[in-house]
Amino acid sequence: MSESIELSQSVRLERDGDVALVIVNNPPVNALSWHVRQGLFDGMTQAVESGAKSIVVICDGRTFIAGADISEFGGNVPKAAGLQEVQAAMEDAPVPVIAAIHGTALGGGLEVALCAHYRVSVASAKFGLPEVNLGLLPGAGGTQRLPRLVGVPKALEMMTTGRHVSSAEAQAGGLVDEVIAGNGLDELRAAAVAFANKAVAENLPLVRVRDRDDKVAEAKGNDQLFADFRKSIARKTRGFLAPEYNIQCIEAAANLPFGEGLKVEGKLFMELMTGPQSGAQRYYFFAERAANKIPDIAKDTPLIDVQKVGILGAGTMGGGIAMNFVNVGIPVTIVERDQASLDKGLGVVRKNYERSRSTTAEQVEERMALITGSTSKQDFADCDMVIEAVFEDMELKKSIFKELDEICKPGALLASNTSALDVNEIASVTSRPESVIGMHFFSPANVMKLLENVRGDKSSDSVVATTMAIGKKIKKVSVMVGVCPGFVGNRMLFMRGAEAERMLMEGATPAQIDSVLYDFGFPMGPFSMSDLAGLDIGWKEEKSSSSTIREILCENGRRGQKNGRGYYTYDPDTRAATPDPEVEQLIKDFAVSKGHEQREVTDQEILERLLYPMVNEGAKILEEKIAIRGSDIDVVWVNGYGWPVYRGGPMHWADSIGLAEIVSKIESYSESLGGKHWDLSPLLKSLAESGGQLQTHAS
């Protein structure tokens, strides 16, 4: 074996007999930075010039090329070989080129591998074109080459979801030529060199994927195939441009010559890359990662070793929270006030697992075996962490934390799943306020990704760091916030709710208000959400005073989806909602009785009055240092409240509208409508005047 030749700061060339190895080493994920591209290009050229009979492209570290260097998007990048030049050098090489893949071959990484003549991988490797998740499409021939290898149906599914496929699935579909038994890098190298020597010895053809059309032939001119696929994903991809553009590129792969298809890909890629949706999704990509960083918490802060978790309450929230922990192998003790409630709660957990398509019968039993049910809080004594998930009642929570303080071992983390209450007040009744923190899970807790962690004034660094680490371990998107009524998410939601109710009184209908938010990209509006939750939550008939619209609806027997009648009427079979003239009349009569004049409210006014108070409140949250950074607020709203990710979150969206424009409108609404939530945030005003941004503001 000859010595290495350094081609760039991240690529070197080695020889193993007649095989040249072009080796990438660009930690942590071997991204396609400019120096990687240049090194690959030079490596292919020098390997051929040196007389090598075959070439293996392989990576050091934990993965093959995992994708583009996203930090280069839109930035000033040193001049280097373009990705297409690298691909052409591989594809047009006069000797066999083998891509040796471990870890993940994603995005641009897979597009590089597709230009090798053959692909060899370890058993644990994953493959995918996940650009759709950044509002993009594969821009280096991936949309044209992948269908030619795996067929149109598989390419459609992979590219519109961004899903990673296993090596076994990749081999079955034709994406990989050989999967080796082991997973080690040395084993992969040896297998790839052996494959390269075999290719030469057996004179295997230099397969250029671009020249293949057997896998796309059946889709040529088959408009119905694409129409059916569009219909199948319409609900999930509503509002997103990238999935549709990916489909159009695959249609081009089926119907046009390769070169013409590349032109379609290039045109649509640039439209997405320069458009607002991908800008928002790329911004969000970084925002979610930034949320993990707590500026005043050192990286080496010691963590509490959480081996066992206690959960108080086996209701919808408690059961859902328990599932998060047992899903990753952490045993849970769940306590309820009586055996009947406990059995009911555990029964719901089991049904949730049994209904899940991704959970086998064996896994159901494994996970249920990790849950110990009890009716005694004393069983929390050996837990490293206890999460309280009972009703939102301060006195109840304080009495519980007094008990937990006496029962739980020293150093145990005590968390409240409160959605709005003062964590400091809860902590004050314990002898260890430094161990108390808020962990606001969103319902259903086993599905919703957001975990809004609430740092009390006395929460220790170790408790804060552990809470964030645990969130990551149970696969949540965690955001650390401070104490105030409603924290970040619900505090902003209250502002939206106040204006929605007010506009009902002025003449807007529930359906009109809901449809404005739905068209903006939310999964549902405030009144559909109320019907889903149940209008009678917290309502008691004997205390009802006909003083709100919700009370009047409840008094008229309207409970929401649960009985088929709420703000809407619901089809008993499909649950489809229909606006109800009776409800509209009830609202109108109530509004008139309260002295409100009825008028036509435009959709634009509805949008502004629902969202601008949220932006204003978000700015106040930043001023008060409740959120660490503006982007954290966006992460909360995208993951917890259905804000469309292609609009980036309320802070990003406000910046895109223009803060000066929003300030002007807020001042106008404040004058005409009044109400504390229209009082302009000084920070918002200051940023508008200075040209600053909410999304980048750090408190």
Side-chain angles (χ1 to χ4, degrees):
M1 193 175 298
S2 63
E3 63 181 66
S4 296
I5 300 171
E6 297 297 326
L7 301 166
S8 75
Q9 69 192 67
S10 56
V11 184
R12 68 186 187 276
L13 183 64
E14 293 182 3
R15 281 291 283 267
D16 188 334
D18 290 331
V19 181
L21 292 106
V22 181
I23 304 168
V24 178
N25 184 16
N26 185 30
V29 293
N30 292 317
L32 277 167
S33 306
W34 67 269
H35 43 84
V36 172
R37 299 193 301 274
Q38 189 63 52
L40 284 170
F41 181 79
D42 292 344
M44 299 304 300
T45 306
Q46 291 186 32
V48 171
E49 289 175 351
S50 73
K53 293 184 178 177
S54 59
I55 302 169
V56 168
V57 177
I58 192 168
C59 296
D60 284 341
R62 67 176 192 256
T63 183
F64 189 71
I65 299 166
D69 185 344
I70 195 171
S71 67
E72 292 184 357
F73 284 17
N76 293 320
V77 182
K79 188 169 174 58
L83 186 52
Q84 291 182 349
E85 291 175 83
V86 174
Q87 292 172 303
M90 293 174 64
E91 209 162 35
D92 297 336
V95 298
V97 177
I98 291 86
I101 298 160
H102 73 298
T104 54
L106 302 175
L110 181 55
E111 288 179 297
V112 167
L114 288 171
C115 290
H117 303 125
Y118 296 96
R119 283 151 295 282
V120 175
S121 82
V122 297
S124 60
K126 302 279 187 186
F127 304 80
L129 292 174
E131 286 86 348
V132 70
N133 296 322
L134 293 177
L136 293 170
L137 53 83
T143 69
Q144 303 306 295
R145 289 188 178 90
L146 186 67
R148 285 174 161 82
L149 263 191
V150 303
V152 166
K154 187 73 172 175
L156 284 167
E157 186 267 330
M158 284 179 66
M159 285 167 50
T160 57
T161 63
R163 183 174 72 86
H164 302 178
V165 301
S166 67
S167 57
E169 190 177 344
Q171 185 178 31
L175 180 54
V176 172
D177 299 285
E178 182 179 289
V179 177
I180 69 169
N183 287 312
L185 196 47
D186 290 342
E187 294 168 280
L188 175 63
R189 177 174 172 142
V193 167
F195 191 100
N197 285 324
K198 181 180 80 167
V200 173
E202 297 180 9
N203 199 25
L204 296 180
L206 305 183
V207 181
R208 299 202 317 170
V209 174
R210 62 181 294 165
D211 295 336
R212 292 185 55 176
D213 61 7
D214 52 304
K215 290 280 187 81
V216 294
E218 65 186 39
K220 188 169 186 175
N222 188 349
D223 294 344
Q224 193 60 47
L225 184 156
F226 292 98
D228 289 346
F229 184 78
R230 283 185 170 97
K231 188 176 179 182
S232 73
I233 66 167
R235 186 168 187 161
K236 197 169 184 181
T237 61
R238 179 181 66 88
F240 287 88
L241 279 179
E244 170 56 27
Y245 278 29
N246 273 275
I247 294 170
Q248 288 179 28
C249 286
I250 297 171
E251 281 183 305
N255 295 317
L256 299 174
F258 182 83
E260 293 300 307
L262 272 187
K263 289 178 185 174
V264 172
E265 177 189 275
K267 175 178 177 291
L268 294 180
F269 176 83
M270 286 310 298
E271 282 186 32
L272 290 175
M273 181 61 134
T274 57
Q277 287 203 0
S278 180
Q281 287 176 257
R282 281 180 277 133
Y283 155 78
Y284 178 77
F285 177 88
F286 289 112
E288 188 175 298
R289 279 144 189 80
N292 287 315
K293 300 179 177 77
I294 315 297
D296 64 329
I297 302 291
K299 281 187 178 179
D300 59 356
T301 299
L303 301 181
I304 298 165
D305 185 17
V306 178
Q307 298 288 335
K308 186 176 182 182
V309 172
I311 296 171
L312 182 62
T316 304
M317 283 306 300
I321 293 169
M323 292 175 72
N324 290 295
F325 288 96
V326 299
N327 286 349
V328 297
I330 298 176
V332 167
T333 295
I334 193 162
V335 173
E336 253 297 353
R337 61 181 179 271
D338 56 61
Q339 193 63 42
S341 302
L342 179 64
D343 292 344
K344 181 181 177 184
L346 293 178
V348 170
V349 170
R350 177 175 283 279
K351 278 180 189 166
N352 285 339
Y353 277 131
E354 289 172 346
R355 279 199 300 261
S356 171
R357 292 179 185 173
S358 61
T359 312
T360 65
E362 186 180 11
Q363 287 172 324
V364 173
E365 298 310 320
E366 285 173 0
R367 292 176 189 184
M368 291 305 298
L370 287 171
I371 302 177
T372 302
S374 171
T375 56
S376 171
K377 297 188 194 77
Q378 294 297 328
D379 288 331
F380 289 146
D382 63 343
C383 291
D384 305 300
M385 175 182 195
V386 177
I387 303 170
E388 160 273 308
V390 302
F391 296 116
E392 282 289 274
D393 179 280
M394 178 58 84
E395 293 312 310
L396 174 61
K397 288 184 187 285
K398 283 163 75 172
S399 69
I400 284 167
F401 271 77
K402 270 185 183 175
E403 282 187 84
L404 294 178
D405 188 31
E406 293 168 6
I407 293 167
C408 295
K409 65 186 181 184
L413 192 156
L414 307 182
S416 174
N417 180 50
T418 178
S419 59
L421 299 178
D422 187 336
V423 171
N424 291 325
E425 187 176 343
I426 293 170
S428 71
V429 300
T430 73
S431 64
R432 43 171 141 181
E434 72 282 355
S435 295
V436 178
I437 199 162
M439 290 180 76
H440 177 203
F441 288 82
F442 283 67
S443 185
N446 55 305
V447 175
M448 295 293 285
K449 287 166 68 177
L450 181 66
L451 178 56
E452 195 180 35
N453 292 318
V454 188
R455 183 180 189 172
D457 292 344
K458 296 185 178 177
S459 301
S460 73
D461 287 1
S462 183
V463 163
V464 169
T466 300
T467 307
M468 293 299 285
I470 281 289
K472 191 171 186 179
K473 185 164 189 176
I474 62 174
K475 300 179 172 58
K476 295 296 183 189
V477 176
S478 295
V479 180
M480 187 61 68
V481 304
V483 176
C484 68
F487 315 130
V488 169
N490 281 340
R491 176 171 163 179
M492 292 168 69
L493 186 68
F494 296 155
M495 304 304 118
R496 192 181 85 178
E499 279 304 301
E501 295 285 341
R502 187 190 277 196
M503 285 187 284
L504 277 188
M505 301 291 276
E506 294 173 18
T509 66
Q512 184 190 8
I513 293 170
D514 280 352
S515 69
V516 167
L517 280 190
Y518 183 79
D519 292 343
F520 182 81
F522 280 94
M524 63 179 66
F527 303 109
S528 296
M529 193 186 296
S530 293
D531 275 357
L532 180 63
L535 297 183
D536 56 345
I537 290 178
W539 176 77
K540 291 185 170 57
E541 188 169 7
E542 62 277 9
K543 293 185 178 180
S544 193
S545 58
S546 308
S547 59
T548 66
I549 291 169
R550 187 170 73 96
E551 281 192 326
I552 284 168
L553 293 180
C554 286
E555 289 164 9
N556 279 271
R558 310 189 79 98
R559 304 286 189 268
Q561 279 199 27
K562 65 176 72 174
N563 74 339
R565 298 169 72 240
Y567 284 100
Y568 302 89
T569 53
Y570 293 88
D571 183 284
D573 298 320
T574 65
R575 293 209 168 187
T578 305
D580 192 331
E582 180 187 322
V583 170
E584 291 173 12
Q585 192 61 49
L586 281 170
I587 293 170
K588 185 176 181 180
D589 291 345
F590 177 72
V592 170
S593 75
K594 296 293 183 183
H596 290 270
E597 287 186 26
Q598 301 294 284
R599 65 180 178 89
E600 186 177 327
V601 185
T602 68
D603 288 355
Q604 182 61 26
E605 181 182 345
I606 289 171
L607 188 69
E608 291 171 358
R609 287 176 61 183
L610 290 175
L611 301 188
Y612 287 3
M614 288 172 49
V615 170
N616 194 38
E617 200 66 25
K620 292 175 183 177
I621 283 167
L622 283 171
E623 281 175 79
E624 296 167 23
K625 304 188 185 305
I626 299 300
I628 296 170
R629 28 179 113 70
S631 57
D632 286 4
I633 294 173
D634 288 338
V635 174
V636 166
W637 269 84
V638 166
N639 285 285
Y641 297 86
W643 185 283
V645 69
Y646 59 78
R647 296 191 192 272
M651 303 293 97
H652 174 87
W653 175 76
D655 289 336
S656 71
I657 296 291
L659 299 188
E661 162 75 11
I662 289 177
V663 164
S664 173
K665 283 291 176 66
I666 288 174
E667 288 176 332
S668 174
Y669 283 126
S670 179
E671 192 176 322
S672 62
L673 297 170
K676 198 172 179 196
H677 57 278
W678 286 113
D679 291 349
L680 182 62
S681 152
L683 174 64
L684 184 55
K685 184 176 175 64
S686 166
L687 290 173
E689 290 171 349
S690 67
Q693 293 191 316
L694 283 169
Q695 65 191 17
T696 56
H697 184 81
S699 60

